[in-house]
Amino acid sequence: MAGSPRGAGPAGWRPSPILHPRIIADAPEGAFSTNVFWDRAIEAGRAYGQVHQGLWFDVGTPRAIPQTELILADG
């Protein structure tokens, strides 16, 4: 992904979902795939995506956070 410190490919799935309560109503018991929610949203014509043109940082691990903070502090 452009702007990624890791130099990832041109596109990727980086979800920041906002789901209406009706999409997550009646969620299955126990562990399940969130694809249930996406399938419901798609069937309802309510699934949308947005192309992000800015910077993206991986802060999914404690070790990655200081690296990102240094990059952001440099402006």
Side-chain angles (χ1 to χ4, degrees), residues 31-57:
F32 64 93
S33 170
T34 58
N35 283 349
V36 170
F37 301 144
W38 302 120
D39 291 343
R40 288 178 185 176
I42 291 167
E43 288 171 15
R46 303 295 297 172
Y48 304 95
Q50 180 69 39
V51 175
H52 176 68
Q53 299 293 335
L55 294 175
W56 174 83
F57 299 95

Side-chain angles (χ1 to χ4, degrees), residues 8 10 16 27-30 35 49 58 60 62:
S16 296
E29 294 289 327
N35 283 349
D58 177 5

